[in-house]
Structure formats: C-alpha cells, structure tokens
Amino acid sequence: SKSDGRLSANIEAALSHSVILDIAGGFIPADLARIYPEQPLNANISLNGNIDSLHIDTIHLQMPTTFNLQGRGYVADILATDSIRAHFTWIASTGKLDFVRKYLQLSGINIPSMKLEAETRINGNRYEAEATINRGHGTLQTQAYIDLDNMAYNAELYANEINIRDFLPNDSLGKLTFSAKVKGHGTDLMSKATGFNGEFDLKHLEYKNWDIDNARLTALLKRGKANVELHCDNEILMTNACVNANIDKENSQLDFALSLNKINFQALGVSKDSVIASMVLNIDGGTDMKQHHRLVGSMHSIELATPDTTYYPLDLNIEIKTNDKDVLARTNAGNLWFQFHASEGMDSLVHKLND
C-alpha cells in the first residue's frame, strides 16, 4: 500500500529449486547448479516507510536443513550515498553446507553447523560490524569499523576454544584460543602519513600431544618507521625476534635480529628422535627499490642437542651487494669461503640467465 509517499509491504514467497535456478540464470555457475540443494527457499520480508526512512521489520530467509537467517533494522536517507544511515541486527544458523564444500573442491575440509549473532551499522562512509559465532563450546567474536573518508580502520577478533578439527577433521590441530587487534589509517605503505598498529596473542593451541601457548606478535608503522616483534615461550619454540625498518621510496633500511633459544624438531614432526636447536641470527639490509641492494647476515652460537650428544656447527656469515654495475655475494663458515662476483647489474644478469 502507498499513502503520502509512504510504502508498506509484506512479502512471503516459497521458491523451489528450479525457480531459483531459472531466476538466477547465468549468475550461478553450471558446476554449482548441478549440486545446488533441492530444498525450497522460504522468504518473508516486511517493511514500511519511504526513501527518507525505511523500516524493515522482518527479514526471514530459510532453506530447510541448510540455513536460517533473520534480521531487522532501518535505512535512512537512502538516496544520499554520503549521508546514508542504516542499522540492522541479524541472527543466523547454518546446517548442511556440503554443496559449498563440493563446489569449492575443499578436500579434507568440513563446514560444520554454526550460529551467528551480528549487528551492522552504516553512517555515511563509515561501516561498523559486531558479530559472535558459536560452534559447539567455541566462540569467535569480532568488532570492526572502516571509515572510507580518511581510510581509518579498527578491528578486534577473539577466539575462545575453537576446535580446528571441526573444520579440518584430518589435521593435527585441536582447540584454539587467541586475540588479534589491528588499528590504522591509510593504505600506501610508502607514505609517511600511513599508520598501523597490530597485535596477535596466541593463548592456547593444541597440536598433536603438545600445548602451544605464550606467543605474541606485534607490528607498528608510524611516519615511515616499522617495527615487528615476535616473542614465544612454549614447549615447541622459545624465541625473540625483532625487525626494524625505515620505509622510504628512495632508500629503505632493514634490521633483523633473532635469538632462538629452543626449537623442538621432534614436536614439529621433522625428526623422530629428540632434536633441539638454538642459535642467534642477525640480518642487516638496505635498498633503494631500484638497483642498489645490500644484505649482511650472520648466524652464530649454534647448538644442536640430541639425546646422545650436542653439536656446535661453525658460525655462518653471508654478504650480498648489488648495484647497477656489479653483483657481489660471499659467504663463509669457518675457513670455508665462497664468493661470486659479476661485473654487471642485477637486471642485466637476470636477463642473461633467462635467455
């Protein structure tokens, strides 16, 4: 019905398998159409208002045994893209989605049943969302926004006791708990106006018979200077790593330091017997993003511990320098040296090698 520019409608429909495929036409790939579920799609939509303020009282889409979606909300200033406003709440649950897995050829991957509660908001060019996904005893929570006017964004993700085997039944990974946060503005990494701050905390991960925890990764980008740090202290890996970089279109610099106190190769499945390694690694480099590149690295204090003995390999050093006139690479371990030199630039050398 319509009165004084206002519209109210209540739409109910039950679309059969064949009708959906006919309506979709060429939009559904043939491979997907062949395995598309036979169940009908039931729809119920109730709305009222006008182009200035439209209220959607009911959105209900259901495909029996496959999925169920319910939502409600409003949209204001529909035709004004810069000032449009909207707010919706959603509740959804999934069932058998084997046809999605088959179409995507996800061998060894399962798509289990899940429940979703979400809230979405639009305010001009700012988009916000909050959601909680429940699978068994595990939960995944997220909240995020992005503002397209200044390309500012913020997102947080929290996982609690998510069972990876529900999705990868043949994998060695079990329950997972972690938190992740990112915040920033801008997308051009070469611009000093771009900023980024992120962190990832691994609280707990089951891997075979091992429990992995106490792992933290942080990343910061501010005024062209970047810092990435990794700290791990668990049964498989004990390490501290740090990367510092000066990002510049003309001359970028990189420093990398790694202190590996322990890595358990037996736990990683690399070795049948107990083999634990440790080392200190330092890397320094620079580039003008064109012809001039430099990399200097060293690996020392290396230990390989087995049940019977401990090995102490020789320190390893490496140096690589390139410019538009020559390429130099040399490395040594103790008294063993290797050196390569070419009296031409990297681009010319690569071109000849490709020919």
Side-chain angles (χ1 to χ4, degrees), residues 112-182:
S113 59
M114 292 174 282
K115 294 182 179 180
L116 165 73
E117 294 184 10
E119 189 171 353
T120 56
R121 291 178 290 274
I122 300 176
N123 189 357
N125 287 323
R126 181 184 173 99
Y127 300 83
E128 302 179 31
E130 297 177 8
T132 299
I133 298 175
N134 293 282
R135 164 60 196 170
H137 297 292
T139 60
L140 186 67
Q141 294 178 297
T142 183
Q143 57 185 39
Y145 80 79
I146 182 170
D147 192 329
L148 298 181
D149 288 334
N150 55 13
M151 286 309 300
Y153 54 88
N154 183 66
E156 298 181 10
L157 181 64
Y158 303 92
N160 183 47
E161 294 293 293
I162 294 292
N163 196 337
I164 304 300
R165 291 194 184 97
D166 289 342
F167 303 87
L168 302 171
N170 301 321
D171 202 270
S172 301
L173 298 174
K175 293 180 180 179
L176 170 66
T177 298
F178 72 86
S179 67
K181 300 177 183 180
V182 294

Side-chain angles (χ1 to χ4, degrees), residues 32 114 144 158 227 309 315:
L32 178 58
M114 292 174 282
Y158 303 92
N227 170 263
T309 187
D315 295 349

Side-chain angles (χ1 to χ4, degrees), residues 13-17 20 36 38-43 60-64 67:
L15 305 178
S16 67
H17 170 269
I20 293 174
Y36 192 81
E38 293 289 339
Q39 290 91 336
L41 175 63
N42 302 314
H60 189 189
L61 302 176
Q62 180 194 44
M63 183 177 287
F67 76 88

Side-chain angles (χ1 to χ4, degrees), residues 153 185-196 221-224:
Y153 54 88
H185 54 273
T187 57
D188 183 2
L189 294 179
M190 291 298 173
S191 172
K192 294 189 183 301
T194 299
F196 175 86
L221 174 63
K222 187 176 182 180
R223 298 193 183 105

